[in-house]
Amino acid sequence: MEDRKLTVRAVERALDILLCFTQDNDYDLSLTEISAKIGLHKSTVHRLLTTLEEKGFLQRDEGTEKYRLGIRIWELSTHLPTLNEPAVLLLPAMERLRDRLGETVSLYLRDNLERVRIQAVQSRQAIRRVAQIGARLPLSVGASSKVLAAYAPPEVQVRLLADPAWPEAVDRSQYLEQLKEITRCGYATSFEEREPGAAAVAVPIAGRAGGVVAALSLSGPVSRLSPETLEEYAAILAEAAAEMGLMMG
């Protein structure tokens, strides 16, 4: 029984190492950096890194001694099911929306108390908001976060507001009022809530069964996205989201 516990712990630690590469645009990391991120001694991390490298999940640059994701990760990704996969299925519609409005378009799913950007189409303008696919963000701030929280089950909202990681700068009562307003008007906006100089508008995507399955957002610099512009774009996004919901089934 003890051996099994140790084995499971080793698996958890190995997965923690792989997840380090999803944070903060970290594409290559040193042994020291990985050790600090997951809070383990370097000797333990080194053994795990060696195994992951041997299996092809990581590769090491002999010049810099830094690690990056290996070919096995990409091989696994090619076997992900693409039928009805939102990131693949909705990409053409997102590109059309980007071409029509000229700003970055993103697609988010809720994962517990976070949102995950599963697809993004970057604006072609020189000054633009660059959205990284795979980024995880809290549900406490941002237009897409508020949309996903507004349409989440009540128990999720309760856990969200009780989360120790809730930012002190965000008033819970005002946040709840915002969620109510979002369900009433059908969209959310944000102005420099998460990033200085950035604005966004987001709408829910509902499946045919009626539940909200994703959030569709448009973001860009505040110099181009005034409150009036975001309100105008919200109607266009809502129309696109309705079509996407039908596509997702």
Side-chain angles (χ1 to χ4, degrees):
M1 184 67 178
E2 184 64 25
D3 289 342
R4 183 179 178 185
K5 286 182 179 179
L6 290 174
T7 301
V8 171
R9 182 174 298 177
V11 173
E12 290 176 346
R13 289 172 171 176
L15 292 174
D16 285 340
I17 288 175
L18 293 178
L19 290 173
C20 284
F21 294 88
T22 68
Q23 305 169 9
D24 305 323
N25 296 323
D26 288 330
Y27 300 111
D28 53 1
L29 295 167
S30 68
L31 168 62
T32 300
E33 290 169 330
I34 295 171
S35 177
K37 280 179 176 289
I38 65 176
L40 289 177
H41 195 274
K42 288 184 181 179
S43 60
T44 302
V45 174
H46 184 264
R47 290 196 297 271
L48 293 167
L49 288 172
T50 300
T51 300
L52 289 169
E53 184 182 2
E54 289 176 352
K55 291 294 184 179
F57 289 96
L58 291 178
Q59 62 184 38
R60 180 170 54 91
D61 186 315
E62 294 184 359
T64 64
E65 291 298 316
K66 287 195 171 187
Y67 295 83
R68 63 183 59 186
L69 294 177
I71 192 66
R72 286 293 184 187
I73 297 293
W74 309 116
E75 289 178 358
L76 285 173
S77 70
T78 63
H79 293 280
L80 284 171
T82 57
L83 185 62
N84 292 331
E85 174 64 32
V88 177
L89 188 65
L90 303 183
L91 180 58
M94 293 174 65
E95 290 175 337
R96 290 193 296 271
L97 196 58
R98 183 272 316 274
D99 293 341
R100 179 179 179 183
L101 301 179
E103 304 293 352
T104 296
V105 177
S106 299
L107 185 68
Y108 294 91
L109 297 181
R110 181 179 66 82
D111 183 17
N112 198 10
L113 301 183
E114 296 179 309
R115 58 171 159 135
V116 182
R117 186 184 293 119
I118 64 167
Q119 187 59 278
V121 181
Q122 313 295 344
S123 168
R124 292 195 175 100
Q125 304 206 50
I127 300 176
R128 63 185 180 221
R129 171 112 194 302
V130 177
Q132 179 190 0
I133 296 175
R136 283 182 173 270
L137 302 165
L139 289 183
S140 52
V141 292
S144 297
S145 290
K146 291 183 288 188
V147 162
L148 292 171
Y151 292 94
E155 59 269 21
V156 173
Q157 295 181 1
V158 170
R159 287 196 294 114
L160 175 62
L161 294 172
D163 187 2
W166 183 269
E168 294 182 2
V170 180
D171 183 87
R172 289 177 172 82
S173 298
Q174 292 181 1
Y175 182 83
L176 281 174
E177 289 302 315
Q178 287 182 325
L179 298 190
K180 293 177 182 178
E181 178 64 15
I182 290 166
T183 57
R184 186 191 67 80
C185 67
Y187 69 91
T189 60
S190 65
F191 292 91
E192 301 185 300
E193 287 187 9
R194 199 175 61 82
E195 296 179 18
V201 58
V203 298
I205 298 178
R208 292 185 179 180
V212 169
V213 295
L216 176 68
S217 81
L218 178 139
S219 59
V222 293
S223 59
R224 291 199 300 265
L225 296 178
S226 66
E228 294 75 20
T229 300
L230 290 185
E231 185 176 352
E232 176 187 346
Y233 285 176
I236 299 173
L237 259 66
E239 181 180 345
E243 296 176 358
M244 291 178 181
L246 293 175
M247 292 171 62
M248 290 174 63

